Amino acid sequence: MRLPVRVPLPRRLLAEGLGSCLLVAVVVGSGIAAQQLSPNDIGLQLLENSTATVLGLTVLILLVGPVSGAHLNPVVSIVDWALGRRTRTGIAARDLLPYVGAQAVGAVAGSLLANAMYGLRALEISHTHRATGGHLLGEAVATCVLVTLVFALARTGRGALAAPVVAAYVGAAYWFTSSTSFANPAVTLGRVFTDTFAGIAPASTPPFIAAQLVGGLLGTALVLALYPDAGSTADDVLVPHPATPLEIPR
């Protein structure tokens, strides 16, 4: 006989926190390395940073996805909850705030870890101001497309491709958006705590997060326009995970 089981919430939160921590460590750490390796070439720095992020994100989705879905992004978690409300799929309301908290705490820890690995003060505050009109538009666009992509993959039964496809999109968005595509409130918060190539000043953070939330709302509307029943597969975001019951032998 086979019975449905779910991974307990603490394990899912550990997966989200660990994944967010390592994601920000990859982004910030590769940014520091890029500055040291190519101090006079910003374009090459961005290439090095984006390449490491694409590879790292692919691995992290594969690592934690089967446990928590590898949301690693409060916008994705919020949209997953919103779309799944009618069909009782996706992340449960009681789990939403813990997911977002784990993502935020993990992201901050990732910056502290990257700083420490490179011999910098573990706790720094960025002085890099980014919140121009163009940057905010870039964040809204980057987040809108990300949300649309994630839920389109789930709705069409291609969630297993999320790791390479989502990472590839993030890598492309590094280059085609003016903001270099943070597209993630937790990552944005984490990057406040590094005064390096990848940082963002505290004053720029609220507008960035607001633009990301607007992008998430637009992405939700676009998903529903393309796939009106997208909520039925909210359990499979980013990849199929124990929000959908798993079968184990008994």
Side-chain angles (χ1 to χ4, degrees):
M1 179 179 180
R2 293 176 179 270
L3 296 176
V5 297
R6 293 173 184 268
V7 171
L9 179 62
R11 282 177 55 196
R12 286 183 278 140
L13 297 182
L14 175 61
E16 286 295 299
L18 176 64
S20 298
C21 174
L22 294 177
L23 173 58
V24 173
V26 167
V27 172
V28 173
S30 63
I32 296 171
Q35 280 185 308
Q36 295 178 355
L37 293 170
S38 311
N40 301 314
D41 192 332
I42 295 177
L44 185 55
Q45 290 175 14
L46 187 60
L47 177 61
E48 293 160 348
N49 187 214
S50 61
T51 300
T53 300
V54 169
L55 297 175
L57 181 57
T58 302
V59 171
L60 291 173
I61 293 173
L62 292 173
L63 174 65
V64 304
V67 179
S68 68
H71 291 187
L72 310 182
N73 187 331
V75 171
V76 171
S77 295
I78 291 169
V79 175
D80 191 49
W81 165 77
L83 287 179
R85 288 183 66 192
R86 291 184 178 179
T87 54
R88 297 181 181 273
T89 57
I91 188 171
R94 65 180 178 276
D95 297 345
L96 179 57
L97 186 58
Y99 256 59
V100 171
Q103 293 157 358
V105 171
V108 172
S111 270
L112 304 185
L113 176 61
N115 290 338
M117 284 194 296
Y118 281 89
L120 305 175
R121 288 178 301 170
L123 182 58
E124 296 184 331
I125 301 297
S126 176
H127 292 85
T128 303
H129 294 276
R130 299 177 183 266
T132 68
H135 286 139
L136 299 182
L137 177 59
E139 279 301 288
V141 170
T143 310
C144 175
V145 177
L146 176 64
V147 166
T148 306
L149 173 63
V150 164
F151 286 88
L153 287 173
R155 175 59 188 85
T156 56
R158 295 176 294 168
L161 297 175
V165 172
V166 171
Y169 167 70
V170 169
Y174 254 85
W175 291 92
F176 83 79
T177 63
S178 56
S179 63
T180 66
S181 182
F182 287 39
N184 184 327
V187 167
T188 303
L189 176 63
R191 289 168 71 164
V192 168
F193 296 95
T194 181
D195 195 19
T196 63
F197 175 81
I200 179 171
S204 297
T205 302
F208 252 57
I209 293 176
Q212 291 157 0
L213 293 174
V214 169
L217 182 62
L218 294 174
T220 302
L222 189 53
V223 168
L224 290 175
L226 294 171
Y227 304 101
D229 58 346
S232 64
T233 54
D235 281 341
D236 295 334
V237 173
L238 294 176
V239 296
H241 61 288
T244 300
L246 295 176
E247 290 189 338
I248 59 172
R250 181 178 178 182

